[in-house]
Amino acid sequence: MKARLPQGYGGGASNMQGMLKQAQKMQAQIAQVQAELEEKEHTVSVGGGAVQVVMTGKKELKALTIKPEVVDPEDIEMLQDLVISAVNEVIREIEDESAKEMEKISGGLSVPGLF
């Protein structure tokens, strides 16, 4: 008596080729989305607009704007904190958007080496 596999299982080489094609397609989609994300600019303001940071998806700082009224030689620490806060916030925004876009492609599947 022969054992039978449920439908959709087995298939040998043809099933493996199909899986490889799907993986290649997913990898191409990921590369395209990554390129789009890297080109996008993100802008974050903190301190009621006192400090504004513009960064690319590659996490390269494009612009840093500081309103003159926030520059107080007696309180440099506050300005430093605002700059740090703005940079950290824009990095979080970039990482969150990247994770959401990759999840759309992969359906939540984590495939090592793809992204």
Side-chain angles (χ1 to χ4, degrees), residues 58-96:
K58 288 182 179 180
K59 299 179 188 163
E60 294 174 346
L61 193 59
K62 296 274 292 199
L64 172 64
T65 307
I66 301 172
K67 287 191 174 179
E69 58 267 19
V70 78
V71 180
D72 179 2
E74 301 296 319
D75 193 6
I76 296 297
E77 286 182 13
M78 189 237 342
L79 180 56
Q80 291 170 336
D81 289 344
L82 286 171
V83 171
I84 290 169
S85 176
V87 170
N88 286 337
E89 182 62 29
V90 78
I91 289 172
R92 261 191 301 279
E93 183 179 290
I94 291 167
E95 289 176 351
D96 288 347

Side-chain angles (χ1 to χ4, degrees), residues 11-62:
S14 64
N15 192 26
M16 182 61 95
Q17 287 177 339
M19 289 173 50
L20 285 174
K21 283 182 183 181
Q22 282 183 311
Q24 288 171 341
K25 181 180 176 184
M26 185 185 301
Q27 192 171 19
Q29 288 175 322
I30 288 169
Q32 179 183 354
V33 168
Q34 282 177 332
E36 291 170 3
L37 288 170
E38 287 176 355
E39 293 301 315
K40 187 173 180 182
E41 288 186 0
H42 299 263
T43 303
V44 169
S45 294
V46 297
V51 175
Q52 183 181 58
V53 172
V54 179
M55 189 175 279
T56 68
K58 288 182 179 180
K59 299 179 188 163
E60 294 174 346
L61 193 59
K62 296 274 292 199

Side-chain angles (χ1 to χ4, degrees), residues 5-12 15 19:
L5 293 173
Q7 189 173 8
Y9 286 93
N15 192 26
M19 289 173 50

